[in-house]
Amino acid sequence: MKVSVLGCGRWGSFIAWYQATVLKNQVTSWGPEGEYSYEILKNTGKNEYVTLDKTITLTCDLKQAVESAEVIIISISSQGLRGFMQKVIKYDVKNKPFVLCMKGIEETTGKRLSEVMVESGIPAKNVAVWVGPGHIQAFTQGIPNCMVIDSENEDLKKRLADSFKSNLIRFYYGNDLIGTEIGAAAKNVLGIAAGVLDGSGYVSLKGPLMARGAYEVGKLIKAMGGEFNSAYGLAHLGDYETTLFSEYSHNRTYGEMMAHGAKFEKLAEGVMTAKAMKELGDKYNIELPITNAVYEACFLSHAFEGGDGAKTCMQIILKLFERQTRSEF
């Protein structure tokens, strides 16, 4: 199979590695010329996560990457997807399946990423998402995990999951695209909250965070037309260990550093997702107290402007304890 991976950052470089090294597919890895992630791979053949297989074609020629592929996998910042697709659709993409390997909600519109693809001109039947738990550092050590592929197109998601599976990744067929996408994006918001707890010395609260966080996300999924129980699947609850506890999690690290009054400079998708989810909660009239606390900590707390960042963040989180007592479910 000819697979092109658009985006060669942390996750994109791993996907290219996985497709070539594990699945033995013919892989093209694309990145924009001059971007650090692309240049480091071009100059050294590796980054801090993977060493690219010699069979991988590394290119900055987007036309070549798009038109040579039988399957196109996209792994870029979720907030940049709409603009990026305006470049992609200039080329021949007719009948090509697209697989989104990123987790987020478009901040300016509240749209799921599959919706952004459709609005960009790609038919829904040609769009799938690949989400779920797993860190590159574990995968490259041979430590397996389980993930999900979902799509409105039953045949596409089954074909992709069956062709992408290996002893390293066990895939499941998703059965709720709304729940899969919202759950996958929302776990990054919970990751920031977990980091704030870690950075403030309130680690024992991560258990309640997991329970109440999944319930909160399930309510939003249901309000948007998905299945409440999707919040308890691999895309959301199943990804908690990877996001809420792992030293490798960008979102957890972002929250921990914010609690210390420091700025995490790498991409943490949960920041803009918290903003998008807050607006979705307002739109659907769904109470999202944890999401709103993360939004306040990220955008309104001034935690990065000196002073006691941990105290500022935890004051926001602990305000949740002032809410009225109610039934758990």
Side-chain angles (χ1 to χ4, degrees):
M1 182 189 301
K2 295 180 180 179
V3 177
S4 284
V5 182
L6 308 184
C8 57
R10 180 175 65 153
W11 193 242
S13 61
F14 164 73
I15 294 168
W17 175 89
Y18 176 75
Q19 290 285 334
T21 306
V22 179
L23 301 181
K24 306 302 181 184
N25 285 325
Q26 187 175 332
V27 177
T28 296
S29 174
W30 173 88
E33 187 173 15
E35 184 185 67
Y36 174 79
S37 297
Y38 172 76
E39 294 297 331
I40 194 72
L41 288 173
K42 182 179 74 171
N43 293 330
T44 68
K46 62 182 181 180
N47 57 23
E48 60 183 304
Y49 306 105
V50 297
T51 298
L52 291 186
D53 190 279
K54 299 294 185 183
T55 64
I56 295 174
T57 299
L58 184 65
T59 184
C60 59
D61 185 339
L62 186 58
K63 182 177 188 294
Q64 185 268 326
V66 169
E67 296 189 351
S68 67
E70 296 173 307
V71 175
I72 298 172
I73 299 174
I74 301 180
S75 180
I76 62 172
S77 167
S78 60
Q79 301 306 321
L81 179 61
R82 189 180 295 272
F84 180 63
M85 285 306 299
Q86 295 310 303
K87 300 176 182 179
V88 172
I89 59 174
K90 293 178 181 179
Y91 307 116
D92 183 9
V93 297
K94 186 176 180 181
N95 298 324
K96 291 182 184 286
F98 284 79
V99 186
L100 301 177
C101 289
M102 49 253 245
K103 305 165 184 177
I105 302 168
E106 190 175 48
E107 176 265 325
T108 55
T109 65
K111 295 293 179 71
R112 293 178 285 114
L113 300 185
S114 66
E115 293 178 302
V116 174
M117 293 293 288
V118 172
E119 292 181 359
S120 299
I122 306 301
K125 67 177 183 177
N126 292 342
V127 179
V129 299
W130 169 357
V131 297
H135 272 305
I136 300 165
Q137 293 89 338
F139 280 135
T140 54
Q141 294 176 51
I143 301 171
N145 218 318
C146 302
M147 304 188 81
V148 179
I149 290 182
D150 210 341
S151 173
E152 291 184 7
N153 183 337
E154 291 288 323
D155 291 338
L156 176 62
K157 71 182 173 187
K158 290 181 178 179
R159 175 161 56 90
L160 290 171
D162 290 344
S163 61
F164 287 176
K165 69 180 180 181
S166 69
N167 290 333
L168 193 59
I169 302 178
R170 171 178 170 79
F171 282 101
Y172 285 83
Y173 308 133
N175 56 6
D176 174 22
L177 185 59
I178 293 174
T180 297
E181 289 191 89
I182 295 297
K187 65 94 186 177
N188 286 330
V189 178
L190 275 294
I192 293 175
V196 171
L197 296 177
D198 286 338
S200 305
Y202 286 74
V203 178
S204 60
L205 276 178
K206 287 166 78 170
L209 173 67
M210 293 168 66
R212 299 310 299 168
Y215 181 72
E216 179 175 308
V217 171
K219 289 195 301 179
L220 178 60
I221 290 171
K222 183 178 179 180
M224 295 179 68
E227 298 291 332
F228 175 87
N229 284 340
S230 292
Y232 295 93
L234 284 169
H236 187 72
L237 182 64
D239 209 352
Y240 270 12
E241 189 282 330
T242 309
T243 307
L244 274 64
F245 292 92
S246 174
E247 63 181 300
Y248 303 127
S249 169
H250 280 190
N251 292 283
R252 192 207 60 77
T253 303
Y254 184 96
E256 183 176 21
M257 291 183 64
M258 180 168 62
H260 293 155
K263 187 79 171 180
F264 181 64
E265 298 298 338
K266 294 183 179 180
L267 177 66
E269 292 275 20
V271 176
M272 299 313 297
T273 301
K275 186 173 187 294
M277 283 182 62
K278 180 188 181 301
E279 293 174 359
L280 286 173
D282 294 342
K283 176 181 177 180
Y284 290 97
N285 196 27
I286 298 296
E287 194 175 17
L288 304 174
I290 298 172
T291 296
N292 291 341
V294 172
Y295 168 78
E296 184 178 346
C298 289
F299 291 97
L300 305 178
S301 71
H302 307 292
F304 304 126
E305 297 178 7
D308 191 341
K311 182 178 179 181
T312 301
C313 290
M314 280 311 302
Q315 285 174 340
I316 295 169
I317 298 296
L318 291 176
K319 280 196 298 185
L320 297 174
F321 281 74
E322 300 173 7
R323 299 174 70 243
Q324 184 180 1
T325 306
R326 62 193 65 196
S327 297
E328 184 177 10
F329 297 107

